[in-house]
Amino acid sequence: ADGIGWRTDFRRDLQIQRNELRYAPYIQETVGSIPTVEATVKRLIGWECRAKEFANNILLSNQPERLNLWATQRTTDGWDTPAAPLSLDFAYEGRPASVSYAEPGGVTRRWLFYHTPRATGAGPATAGAPASYLPPMGSSTICYKTDLSFRLSAAGHTRDLEQGRLSSTLLRSFADHGLALSLDLTLDAQQPGPPHVWRIGDRQSRASYTVREADDELIISTEWSAVQPLRPPGQGELDRHPSAAIFAGSLRVFWDVYDEATRRWRIECRAAGGGTWEQPADAPRAPWAGPNRRAPCAVAHAGALWLFWREPDDAGWRLHASRFDGRSWETPAPLDPRVEDDLFALSDGQQLWLFWARHERVTDGADARIAWRIAYQSYAQAAWGAAQSLAAPYAADEREPAALVGPQGQIELFWSSTRDGSWSLWHGDLANLAGTTQQITRGPFSERAPLPLTDGEGTLLVYRSSASVAYTSPTYSATHTLDTRYAGCTTLGAQTAARSGLWRKFSDFGAYTYDTGPRGVPDNSTWYARDTVGIYLRAETDDSAEIETNRQRIERFLREFLPIQVRLVFIIETPTSTEVLYPADRPLGEEVWAELQSRADEQLGATGESYADRMAGWEWLRAWAAQAPLDVTNNPRYRTRHSDVEAEE
C-alpha cells in the first residue's frame, strides 16, 4: 500500500482496511486514469486541461514505427481525412493486398489481406485448428478482412430514405443477400445529396451499413468484418507480404515464409473454397516452393495467372516469373530488371504493368547521393518493354508504387515519398506525372504502402501509418486521449520540420533520451521520463500569483489518488492579447501622412530620423506607398502580443 501511495486509515476496523486494500487497484486505475485527471482539474479550477504521459517519448533502440492500417476515400474535393484507423493490426513494413470477387446473388465481396505480428485472437478459418490462438513469439501471420456490397434500383426507396423511413422492400433485400437485420434499427443521413449517403445501424448486432446513391441505383455496403487469420503460423516462422489474384473463378493468395531454423525464404499458396483455405490441387508447388524465394506478386492477365518473385543469384536478388495457364506452370525464368523491393503488378486488359523500387545514384550539380527511385516496365505482344525510372526531386526518396486503371483507361499511380520531409502519399497519372502529381496525405507522421481499391463508391486508398490515435473517454465525453505509441523511435532531421515543430507540444511523438534533470535532480523542466505526467493548462488569466495558486491546488489534490511514483510537471499556456501600436481612430502624424501620399519610391529610414525617438527602443522603418495610404489598423505587421514582443520586433 505504501508503495503505490495508498493511505490506510488505521482507525478503522481491520476487515475494512483489508477491503480497502483489496479494491485499491481498481480505484487507482479508475480515478488515476488520464480522462479522470483531466476532468478533475477542469472541475477544480475551471481551466482547460490536457494530461499526457511522457513514457512513450522515451528513446528505445528496438522500437521501430508501428504502422497501422488506415483508409481514405476519394471525394469530389480530394481525399477525406480518416477519423480512426481501419485496423490496429500493425506491421513494420509491407503493403496489404486486395481483390474483389463476384459471388452468386449479385453480391460483390472485397478481400483485404495483410500481415501483422499482433495477436488477433480471432478464430482461424482453417479446419482442425483451435478456436482461438496467439501467434508464437517472434512470428507474424497473414490476416484478412472482408466487406460486401450489392445494388438495388433506387425507385421507391430514395423518398422513404429522405423521409427517415426504411421500407419493407428494402429490408427484405438485405435478407435476400444473406444479411440478417434485427428490428432495432437506426437511420442517419450522412451526406446531403445529391448523391445522398445514409447509414443504417443495427443496435442488436452492432453492425452498420452504408447506402449511397449512384445515378438511379442504391449501393449498399457493409463495414469491414472482424479480422481472421489465414493460417496459424508455425513456431519461428514469419508469414509476410501477401498477394492475391482471382483466376478461373478461384481466389488464390500467395505469401512468403521465413523459417528462422533454416534461415530460408519460401513461397506458400492457398485457395479459398468451402470456407477453408487449402493448397491448390491443380498446380504443383515447384514454381514457388524453391529455396530462398520471397516477395511474391500475383496477377491475372490474358487468360493466365502470372507470379513474380525475387530470389538470389551471384549479383544479388533478381526478379523471376512463371505463368500458369490453368494446367501447368511454366519453368521459372529470370527477368532483366533490377528489382530491389516493393513489386506491384497490374493488368489493364491490354498490357501487363510492373512497378518496383530500387536504389539509384542521383546527382544535383556537384552533389550526389543514393536514393530510392520508382521504376516500371510493361509487357505487350509477348515482349517486355524497356524499364524506365520516374523522375523525383533530388533530396526525396520514393518507394512502394501501386496503380489502378482509371475511368478513362489511364494508369493512376500511387506511391510514398519524402518530398515534404516525412513519408507521405502521392498520386498522379503515369502518362503525365509532372502535370497531375498530387499530395494525398500531409503531416509529421509516416504514411506508407498505398493500396488503391475501386468499387461503386469510387476509390478507397488503404495505407499504413504511424499516426497517433485519439480516443474519446466513455465517461467524460469532452476528454480525448491521444495515443502516440505507434510513432516508435523515429529520427528527426533538418528536413523533418513538421516533426521537429511539435517539440514539447501536447501532440509531440518524438523520442528523446531519458531526462534526469539538472545535476540529476528532476524539476518542472524535466519532462522526458517514464514516471512523468504532463499537465497542460490553458490559463484564463495572466496573473502569475493566481496561476501559481491554482497550480499548487491541483498538485495537492492529485497527490491524493495518483500513484506515489508519478511526478507531475505543469505546462501552462498564458492568454495572449493584441495591442495596436498606433491608435485606430486616427491616422499617423500629419507630416508622415502627407509624405506617404506624395512620395512614390521606397526608402528605409535610419536612427537619425526625427521619428526615431517617438517610441523607446524602436527604430522607424518608413515605407512609401504610390497610391493608397499605409493602413496600419488592419495590418498584422503593426501589431504585437504581450507574450511574444521579442519575436515580433
PDB file of all heavy atoms in Angstrom, residues 524-535:
ATOM      1  N   ASN A 524      10.553  21.019 -12.781  1.00  0.00           N
ATOM      2  CA  ASN A 524       9.428  21.175 -13.705  1.00  0.00           C
ATOM      3  C   ASN A 524       9.862  21.240 -15.170  1.00  0.00           C
ATOM      4  O   ASN A 524       9.049  21.077 -16.067  1.00  0.00           O
ATOM      5  CB  ASN A 524       8.635  22.438 -13.362  1.00  0.00           C
ATOM      6  CG  ASN A 524       7.246  22.433 -13.981  1.00  0.00           C
ATOM      7  OD1 ASN A 524       6.388  21.648 -13.578  1.00  0.00           O
ATOM      8  ND2 ASN A 524       7.024  23.282 -14.981  1.00  0.00           N
ATOM      9  N   SER A 525      11.159  21.465 -15.413  1.00  0.00           N
ATOM     10  CA  SER A 525      11.662  21.461 -16.784  1.00  0.00           C
ATOM     11  C   SER A 525      12.086  20.067 -17.238  1.00  0.00           C
ATOM     12  O   SER A 525      12.482  19.887 -18.384  1.00  0.00           O
ATOM     13  CB  SER A 525      12.850  22.423 -16.909  1.00  0.00           C
ATOM     14  OG  SER A 525      13.946  21.968 -16.132  1.00  0.00           O
ATOM     15  N   THR A 526      12.030  19.096 -16.356  1.00  0.00           N
ATOM     16  CA  THR A 526      12.417  17.721 -16.672  1.00  0.00           C
ATOM     17  C   THR A 526      11.167  16.948 -17.065  1.00  0.00           C
ATOM     18  O   THR A 526      10.371  16.570 -16.207  1.00  0.00           O
ATOM     19  CB  THR A 526      13.103  17.071 -15.456  1.00  0.00           C
ATOM     20  OG1 THR A 526      14.164  17.911 -15.009  1.00  0.00           O
ATOM     21  CG2 THR A 526      13.645  15.715 -15.833  1.00  0.00           C
ATOM     22  N   TRP A 527      11.005  16.709 -18.352  1.00  0.00           N
ATOM     23  CA  TRP A 527       9.769  16.113 -18.852  1.00  0.00           C
ATOM     24  C   TRP A 527       9.919  14.643 -19.198  1.00  0.00           C
ATOM     25  O   TRP A 527       9.081  13.823 -18.824  1.00  0.00           O
ATOM     26  CB  TRP A 527       9.291  16.859 -20.104  1.00  0.00           C
ATOM     27  CG  TRP A 527       8.842  18.257 -19.851  1.00  0.00           C
ATOM     28  CD1 TRP A 527       8.995  18.982 -18.711  1.00  0.00           C
ATOM     29  CD2 TRP A 527       8.156  19.103 -20.775  1.00  0.00           C
ATOM     30  NE1 TRP A 527       8.459  20.235 -18.855  1.00  0.00           N
ATOM     31  CE2 TRP A 527       7.934  20.335 -20.114  1.00  0.00           C
ATOM     32  CE3 TRP A 527       7.720  18.947 -22.078  1.00  0.00           C
ATOM     33  CZ2 TRP A 527       7.285  21.398 -20.738  1.00  0.00           C
ATOM     34  CZ3 TRP A 527       7.081  20.007 -22.698  1.00  0.00           C
ATOM     35  CH2 TRP A 527       6.861  21.210 -22.040  1.00  0.00           C
ATOM     36  N   TYR A 528      10.953  14.303 -19.953  1.00  0.00           N
ATOM     37  CA  TYR A 528      11.001  13.006 -20.624  1.00  0.00           C
ATOM     38  C   TYR A 528      11.552  11.930 -19.698  1.00  0.00           C
ATOM     39  O   TYR A 528      12.752  11.668 -19.641  1.00  0.00           O
ATOM     40  CB  TYR A 528      11.813  13.121 -21.911  1.00  0.00           C
ATOM     41  CG  TYR A 528      11.210  14.137 -22.850  1.00  0.00           C
ATOM     42  CD1 TYR A 528      11.820  15.363 -23.070  1.00  0.00           C
ATOM     43  CD2 TYR A 528       9.996  13.887 -23.476  1.00  0.00           C
ATOM     44  CE1 TYR A 528      11.241  16.303 -23.907  1.00  0.00           C
ATOM     45  CE2 TYR A 528       9.409  14.828 -24.305  1.00  0.00           C
ATOM     46  CZ  TYR A 528      10.039  16.034 -24.516  1.00  0.00           C
ATOM     47  OH  TYR A 528       9.450  16.961 -25.338  1.00  0.00           O
ATOM     48  N   ALA A 529      10.629  11.342 -18.943  1.00  0.00           N
ATOM     49  CA  ALA A 529      10.939  10.255 -18.024  1.00  0.00           C
ATOM     50  C   ALA A 529       9.715   9.344 -17.949  1.00  0.00           C
ATOM     51  O   ALA A 529       8.598   9.755 -18.260  1.00  0.00           O
ATOM     52  CB  ALA A 529      11.306  10.801 -16.636  1.00  0.00           C
ATOM     53  N   ARG A 530       9.930   8.116 -17.562  1.00  0.00           N
ATOM     54  CA  ARG A 530       8.831   7.143 -17.558  1.00  0.00           C
ATOM     55  C   ARG A 530       7.778   7.453 -16.498  1.00  0.00           C
ATOM     56  O   ARG A 530       6.622   7.072 -16.643  1.00  0.00           O
ATOM     57  CB  ARG A 530       9.388   5.732 -17.330  1.00  0.00           C
ATOM     58  CG  ARG A 530      10.227   5.222 -18.477  1.00  0.00           C
ATOM     59  CD  ARG A 530      10.541   3.752 -18.286  1.00  0.00           C
ATOM     60  NE  ARG A 530      11.280   3.241 -19.422  1.00  0.00           N
ATOM     61  CZ  ARG A 530      10.731   2.847 -20.558  1.00  0.00           C
ATOM     62  NH1 ARG A 530       9.425   2.916 -20.690  1.00  0.00           N
ATOM     63  NH2 ARG A 530      11.466   2.394 -21.546  1.00  0.00           N
ATOM     64  N   ASP A 531       8.169   8.110 -15.428  1.00  0.00           N
ATOM     65  CA  ASP A 531       7.233   8.351 -14.329  1.00  0.00           C
ATOM     66  C   ASP A 531       6.625   9.744 -14.389  1.00  0.00           C
ATOM     67  O   ASP A 531       6.043  10.200 -13.411  1.00  0.00           O
ATOM     68  CB  ASP A 531       7.944   8.152 -12.993  1.00  0.00           C
ATOM     69  CG  ASP A 531       9.168   9.058 -12.847  1.00  0.00           C
ATOM     70  OD1 ASP A 531       9.539   9.709 -13.839  1.00  0.00           O
ATOM     71  OD2 ASP A 531       9.752   9.089 -11.749  1.00  0.00           O
ATOM     72  N   THR A 532       6.747  10.430 -15.511  1.00  0.00           N
ATOM     73  CA  THR A 532       6.325  11.824 -15.593  1.00  0.00           C
ATOM     74  C   THR A 532       5.000  11.938 -16.331  1.00  0.00           C
ATOM     75  O   THR A 532       4.806  11.326 -17.385  1.00  0.00           O
ATOM     76  CB  THR A 532       7.388  12.672 -16.311  1.00  0.00           C
ATOM     77  OG1 THR A 532       8.630  12.543 -15.609  1.00  0.00           O
ATOM     78  CG2 THR A 532       6.975  14.128 -16.355  1.00  0.00           C
ATOM     79  N   VAL A 533       4.101  12.736 -15.780  1.00  0.00           N
ATOM     80  CA  VAL A 533       2.835  13.074 -16.417  1.00  0.00           C
ATOM     81  C   VAL A 533       2.778  14.584 -16.560  1.00  0.00           C
ATOM     82  O   VAL A 533       2.941  15.313 -15.575  1.00  0.00           O
ATOM     83  CB  VAL A 533       1.625  12.565 -15.604  1.00  0.00           C
ATOM     84  CG1 VAL A 533       0.322  13.073 -16.206  1.00  0.00           C
ATOM     85  CG2 VAL A 533       1.629  11.046 -15.553  1.00  0.00           C
ATOM     86  N   GLY A 534       2.571  15.043 -17.785  1.00  0.00           N
ATOM     87  CA  GLY A 534       2.485  16.476 -18.028  1.00  0.00           C
ATOM     88  C   GLY A 534       1.049  16.961 -17.926  1.00  0.00           C
ATOM     89  O   GLY A 534       0.139  16.357 -18.494  1.00  0.00           O
ATOM     90  N   ILE A 535       0.847  18.035 -17.197  1.00  0.00           N
ATOM     91  CA  ILE A 535      -0.459  18.672 -17.065  1.00  0.00           C
ATOM     92  C   ILE A 535      -0.422  19.964 -17.881  1.00  0.00           C
ATOM     93  O   ILE A 535       0.199  20.949 -17.479  1.00  0.00           O
ATOM     94  CB  ILE A 535      -0.809  18.973 -15.590  1.00  0.00           C
ATOM     95  CG1 ILE A 535      -0.715  17.692 -14.752  1.00  0.00           C
ATOM     96  CG2 ILE A 535      -2.199  19.580 -15.490  1.00  0.00           C
ATOM     97  CD1 ILE A 535      -1.701  16.613 -15.147  1.00  0.00           C
TER      98      ILE A 535
END
